[in-house]
Amino acid sequence: MSLIDVSHIRKTFSTLEVLKDISFTLEKGEVLSIIGPSGSGKSTLLRCISHLEKIDSGEIHICDKTLVHTPDGIHPKYATSHIQQEIRLSIGLVFQNFNLFPHFSVLRNLTEAQVHVLKTPKVEAREHAFSLLRKMGLEEKAHAYPYQLSGGQQQRVSIARALALNPEVLCFDEPTSALDPELTGEILAVIKDLAKEKMSMLVVTHEMAFARDISDRVIFMDEGLIVEQGSPDQVLVNPTNERTKKFLYRFNS
């Protein structure tokens, strides 16, 4: 079953077409990694799926709900605010730069949306938050504030916060890019564990070995296009497109 179905989407900023006729699906329980050079449209694609950016044309279907379609081929038509809210709750987004509420404790970062968006009772929200913090190895940090945590700890809290709303899909936008190299491993380990649990995930990453380890499929993007896609071995080990080969050469040389 497709949890995300993107069809022929385009996105332009001023005169720059950032996404050019992009189509792909994410199946339930699948990990799909998106790789490519800076400026290829990877993060914009995630932002369009999570409705942080609006598309110019095309269709996006998420968890059997239509976020946007373009019946006349020119003017995109978005779902009602009620459907949009349902879709937002089905997708968890983990940003590069953590985006935690700095004036909230770790615990409150995890419980705030549960209580005010999902209307979860406070006691139940706290129990769920503590179970997620235990999973992330951060139970003892429940009452700390983001500034008291390392970058790796903050990103683990971000992942826990995304999981707190029980999303169908987790989207990661280069989750290790803001971290020192020695902290990268702990975040990759968390995502690997989620992959073992068959969490459906869409991962924009520049970590090629990591993408090969966790992915069911890999998409290579360049200049707003999907240039090549397939299994990790097909794309990362035996690519057929020259642009893919040139991009991967610097990682393998």
Side-chain angles (χ1 to χ4, degrees):
M1 182 183 86
S2 295
L3 293 183
I4 296 177
D5 190 340
V6 170
S7 183
H8 303 294
I9 68 169
R10 296 179 180 274
K11 174 65 181 177
T12 301
F13 292 108
S14 187
T15 59
L16 178 64
E17 192 174 19
V18 179
L19 299 177
K20 307 171 183 177
D21 197 21
I22 297 290
S23 299
F24 73 92
T25 60
L26 174 75
E27 304 300 318
K28 186 175 178 61
E30 184 179 36
V31 180
L32 174 60
S33 290
I34 303 176
I35 63 170
S38 297
S40 59
K42 307 183 301 296
S43 294
T44 299
L45 177 57
L46 275 193
R47 291 177 67 83
C48 289
I49 291 169
S50 55
H51 199 200
L52 296 174
E53 297 285 355
K54 289 192 173 183
I55 65 171
D56 296 329
S57 63
E59 298 185 5
I60 301 174
H61 306 276
I62 298 171
C63 298
D64 291 329
K65 297 180 178 69
T66 299
L67 173 63
V68 58
H69 66 130
T70 314
D72 63 358
I74 302 172
H75 303 100
K77 183 177 180 180
Y78 275 83
T80 63
S81 58
H82 175 71
I83 296 296
Q84 287 184 37
Q85 177 67 2
E86 289 183 351
I87 290 172
R88 284 193 188 97
L89 291 175
S90 66
I91 292 186
L93 183 59
V94 180
F95 297 90
Q96 297 179 22
N97 296 314
F98 323 137
N99 282 23
L100 297 173
F101 297 115
H103 55 297
F104 286 176
S105 68
V106 166
L107 184 61
R108 191 173 174 189
N109 264 282
L110 268 64
T111 58
E112 190 74 3
Q114 290 187 70
V115 171
H116 295 288
V117 178
L118 297 184
K119 307 302 180 185
T120 305
K122 288 184 179 180
V123 172
E124 187 179 326
R126 284 173 59 90
E127 289 175 354
H128 187 35
F130 271 110
S131 71
L132 289 169
L133 290 174
R134 279 193 293 274
K135 187 174 187 174
M136 299 294 156
L138 291 172
E139 188 176 11
E140 77 285 356
K141 299 294 185 181
H143 301 293
Y145 285 82
Y147 77 90
Q148 297 172 308
L149 306 179
S150 70
Q153 289 170 334
Q154 289 186 62
Q155 191 62 297
R156 278 185 280 160
V157 172
S158 296
I159 296 170
R161 184 177 65 177
L163 289 169
L165 296 180
N166 300 313
E168 290 286 329
V169 182
L170 268 187
C171 296
F172 293 88
D173 186 8
E174 298 199 1
T176 62
S177 65
L179 300 177
D180 293 332
E182 63 267 23
L183 299 176
T184 295
E186 64 187 72
I187 301 306
L188 300 184
V190 168
I191 300 173
K192 283 182 180 180
D193 286 343
L194 292 171
K196 290 176 185 175
E197 296 171 8
K198 292 299 179 182
M199 183 76 201
S200 306
M201 292 188 284
L202 189 58
V203 185
V204 170
T205 183
H206 58 274
E207 301 281 348
M208 297 302 113
F210 169 67
R212 185 179 178 187
D213 286 346
I214 68 159
S215 303
D216 297 296
R217 284 189 299 130
V218 175
I219 285 174
F220 171 65
M221 287 183 66
D222 191 23
E223 296 183 355
L225 294 166
I226 292 178
V227 174
E228 191 163 357
Q229 61 179 307
S231 71
D233 281 347
Q234 286 174 315
V235 176
L236 299 174
V237 181
N238 298 299
T240 58
N241 189 282
E242 287 303 317
R243 289 156 80 181
T244 315
K245 291 178 182 178
K246 184 177 180 180
F247 173 75
L248 291 171
Y249 177 78
R250 61 193 178 100
F251 292 97
N252 298 325
S253 58

